[in-house]
Amino acid sequence: MSAPAGGGDVLRVRRTGGIAGRTLEGEVDLASGDERAVAARELVDRVDLSAPAEAESFPDAFSYTFEVRGRSVTVPQHHLSDDQRALADLVLRAD
């Protein structure tokens, strides 16, 4: 993990890479009472936000950066766990 990034109880997710190289970002206030915040809190409490042992990246693949509670980790798409993928989808989806 790298040095603290972000602050408070806000979860930020950033997806970079892909063929178009477009960056997609989203955040959820975990202190909020809305449905997304409740679901995100549950995932944050159980998800492994440590960097994968082998973080090899592939051309045109996505990488996901999770920032929450003073922690920041970037995970290549092919190393995402099911919970990490669910968390990224939850935060990055357009409502």
Side-chain angles (χ1 to χ4, degrees), residues 21-58:
R22 191 173 139 233
T23 297
L24 184 61
E25 298 178 284
E27 65 179 46
V28 172
D29 180 357
L30 298 176
S32 169
D34 70 36
E35 290 180 26
R36 283 180 65 206
V38 171
R41 274 195 308 272
E42 290 174 5
L43 284 164
V44 165
D45 288 343
R46 73 173 187 241
V47 75
D48 179 11
L49 288 179
S50 58
E54 178 187 319
E56 178 185 5
S57 62
F58 295 103

